[in-house]
Amino acid sequence: MLDQLTYEDFKDDIGKSFTLEGVGGRVEMELVSARLSPYPALPARRRAFAILFVTGPTPALDNQMYNIRHPRKGLMEGVFITPVFPAAEDMEKLAGRRVYEAVFN
């Protein structure tokens, strides 16, 4: 399923809640960004994209695979999530929150 997801599957869900499921339990996250790669896709492949989520200050999540429940697509298994720093222009707006990214190539 992950290889079939595209930017279009997320662009209209910005501001919506997703549930991340991992070893430590469940965490509610808000999708704050979906952006396309500036580089063109290879023939017959989707264009790479990234999605950003924010959560509260705890728990701190590690780089690893998680399952994510999408509001329309259902369960997405084995999504690699990594903590990232917000862009400079978003630092004040996201103060006290944790930011996580998933990249789809």
Side-chain angles (χ1 to χ4, degrees):
M1 174 188 193
L2 294 181
D3 63 338
Q4 296 173 4
L5 292 172
T6 66
Y7 164 79
E8 285 74 22
D9 291 318
F10 293 92
K11 69 180 177 80
D12 294 331
D13 292 318
I14 294 172
K16 292 186 180 171
S17 180
F18 288 67
T19 303
L20 181 136
E21 301 171 349
V23 175
R26 294 179 177 203
V27 176
E28 292 299 313
M29 307 181 304
E30 177 189 344
L31 181 65
V32 294
S33 175
R35 63 186 189 281
L36 285 167
S37 169
Y39 304 105
L42 296 173
R45 291 199 55 192
R46 68 172 171 214
R47 188 161 172 194
F49 68 99
I51 54 177
L52 286 177
F53 294 101
V54 294
T55 65
T58 58
L61 304 172
D62 294 325
N63 296 341
Q64 65 183 31
M65 302 281 224
Y66 293 93
N67 295 334
I68 299 175
R69 292 210 177 267
H70 186 283
R72 290 178 290 107
K73 292 281 186 180
L75 183 65
M76 299 180 295
E77 296 182 286
V79 178
F80 188 78
I81 301 286
T82 189
V84 295
F85 288 103
E89 61 268 16
D90 295 330
M91 290 288 270
E92 188 175 322
K93 176 176 68 174
L94 297 175
R97 299 176 82 189
R98 294 191 183 268
V99 182
Y100 298 94
E101 180 179 55
V103 176
F104 298 84
N105 292 313

